[in-house]
Coordinates of all heavy atoms in Angstrom, one line a residue:
Chain A
W80 N 12.4 -2.1 -6.7 CA 12.5 -3.2 -5.6 C 13.4 -2.8 -4.5 O 13.2 -3.2 -3.4 CB 12.8 -4.5 -6.3 CG 11.8 -4.9 -7.3 CD1 12.1 -5.1 -8.6 CD2 10.4 -5.1 -7.1 NE1 10.9 -5.5 -9.3 CE2 9.9 -5.5 -8.4 CE3 9.5 -5.0 -6.1 CZ2 8.5 -5.7 -8.6 CZ3 8.2 -5.3 -6.2 CH2 7.7 -5.6 -7.5
K81 N 14.5 -2.1 -4.8 CA 15.4 -1.7 -3.8 C 14.7 -0.9 -2.7 O 14.9 -1.2 -1.5 CB 16.5 -0.9 -4.4 CG 17.7 -0.6 -3.5 CD 18.7 0.2 -4.3 CE 20.1 0.3 -3.6 NZ 20.1 1.2 -2.5
D82 N 13.9 0.0 -3.0 CA 13.2 0.8 -2.1 C 12.0 0.0 -1.5 O 11.6 0.1 -0.3 CB 12.7 2.1 -2.7 CG 13.8 3.1 -2.9 OD1 14.8 3.0 -2.1 OD2 13.6 4.0 -3.7
Y83 N 11.4 -0.8 -2.4 CA 10.2 -1.6 -1.9 C 10.6 -2.5 -0.7 O 9.9 -2.5 0.3 CB 9.7 -2.5 -3.1 CG 8.5 -3.3 -2.8 CD1 7.3 -2.8 -2.8 CD2 8.7 -4.7 -2.3 CE1 6.1 -3.6 -2.5 CE2 7.6 -5.4 -2.0 CZ 6.3 -4.9 -2.1 OH 5.2 -5.7 -1.8
F84 N 11.8 -3.1 -0.8 CA 12.2 -4.0 0.3 C 13.0 -3.2 1.4 O 13.5 -3.8 2.3 CB 13.1 -5.1 -0.3 CG 12.3 -6.1 -1.1 CD1 12.5 -6.2 -2.5 CD2 11.3 -6.9 -0.5 CE1 11.8 -7.1 -3.2 CE2 10.6 -7.8 -1.3 CZ 10.8 -7.9 -2.6
D85 N 13.1 -1.9 1.2 CA 13.8 -1.1 2.2 C 15.2 -1.6 2.5 O 15.6 -1.6 3.6 CB 13.0 -1.0 3.5 CG 13.4 0.2 4.4 OD1 13.9 1.1 3.9 OD2 13.2 0.1 5.6
L86 N 15.9 -1.9 1.4 CA 17.2 -2.5 1.6 C 18.3 -1.6 2.2 O 19.3 -2.0 2.6 CB 17.7 -3.1 0.3 CG 16.9 -4.3 -0.2 CD1 17.4 -4.8 -1.6 CD2 16.8 -5.4 0.8
D87 N 18.0 -0.3 2.1 CA 18.9 0.7 2.7 C 18.7 1.0 4.2 O 19.4 1.7 4.8 CB 18.9 2.0 1.9 CG 19.5 1.9 0.6 OD1 20.4 1.1 0.4 OD2 19.1 2.7 -0.3
G88 N 17.6 0.4 4.7 CA 17.2 0.6 6.1 C 18.2 -0.1 7.1 O 18.7 -1.2 6.8
D89 N 18.5 0.6 8.2 CA 19.5 0.0 9.2 C 18.7 -0.7 10.3 O 18.4 -0.2 11.3 CB 20.3 1.1 9.8 CG 21.4 0.6 10.7 OD1 21.5 -0.6 10.8 OD2 22.2 1.4 11.2
Y90 N 18.4 -2.0 10.0 CA 17.5 -2.8 10.9 C 18.4 -3.3 12.1 O 17.8 -3.6 13.1 CB 16.8 -3.9 10.2 CG 15.6 -3.4 9.4 CD1 15.9 -2.6 8.2 CD2 14.4 -3.5 9.9 CE1 14.8 -2.1 7.5 CE2 13.3 -2.9 9.2 CZ 13.5 -2.2 8.0 OH 12.5 -1.7 7.3
A91 N 19.7 -3.3 11.9 CA 20.5 -3.7 13.1 C 20.4 -2.6 14.2 O 20.3 -2.9 15.4 CB 22.0 -3.8 12.7
A92 N 20.3 -1.4 13.8 CA 20.1 -0.3 14.7 C 18.8 -0.4 15.4 O 18.7 -0.2 16.7 CB 20.2 1.1 14.0
Y93 N 17.7 -0.7 14.7 CA 16.4 -0.9 15.3 C 16.5 -2.1 16.4 O 16.0 -1.9 17.5 CB 15.3 -1.3 14.3 CG 15.2 -0.2 13.2 CD1 14.9 -0.6 11.9 CD2 15.3 1.1 13.5 CE1 14.7 0.4 10.9 CE2 15.1 2.1 12.5 CZ 14.8 1.7 11.2 OH 14.7 2.6 10.2
E94 N 17.1 -3.2 15.9 CA 17.1 -4.4 16.8 C 18.0 -4.1 18.1 O 17.6 -4.5 19.1 CB 17.7 -5.5 16.0 CG 16.8 -6.0 14.9 CD 17.5 -6.9 13.9 OE1 18.7 -7.3 14.1 OE2 16.9 -7.2 12.8
N95 N 19.0 -3.4 17.9 CA 19.9 -3.1 19.0 C 19.4 -2.1 20.0 O 19.9 -1.9 21.1 CB 21.3 -2.7 18.5 CG 22.0 -3.8 17.8 OD1 21.8 -4.9 18.1 ND2 22.9 -3.4 16.9
S96 N 18.3 -1.5 19.7 CA 17.7 -0.4 20.6 C 16.8 -1.0 21.7 O 16.4 -0.3 22.6 CB 16.8 0.5 19.7 OG 15.7 -0.1 19.2
V97 N 16.6 -2.4 21.6 CA 15.8 -3.0 22.6 C 16.5 -3.0 24.0 O 17.7 -3.5 24.0 CB 15.4 -4.4 22.2 CG1 14.5 -5.1 23.3 CG2 14.6 -4.4 20.9
P98 N 15.9 -2.6 25.1 CA 16.6 -2.6 26.4 C 16.9 -4.1 26.8 O 16.1 -5.0 26.5 CB 15.6 -2.0 27.3 CG 14.6 -1.2 26.5 CD 14.6 -1.9 25.1
A99 N 18.0 -4.3 27.5 CA 18.4 -5.6 27.8 C 17.4 -6.3 28.7 O 17.4 -7.6 28.8 CB 19.8 -5.6 28.5
E100 N 16.6 -5.6 29.5 CA 15.7 -6.2 30.4 C 14.3 -6.6 29.7 O 13.5 -7.2 30.4 CB 15.4 -5.3 31.6 CG 14.7 -4.0 31.3 CD 15.7 -2.9 30.9 OE1 16.9 -3.2 30.5 OE2 15.3 -1.7 30.9

Side-chain angles (χ1 to χ4, degrees):
Chain A
W80 304 119
K81 187 176 195 289
D82 286 336
Y83 182 84
F84 292 113
D85 196 25
L86 295 180
D87 288 333
D89 187 359
Y90 284 73
Y93 301 143
E94 294 163 8
N95 292 333
S96 68
V97 177
E100 65 273 18

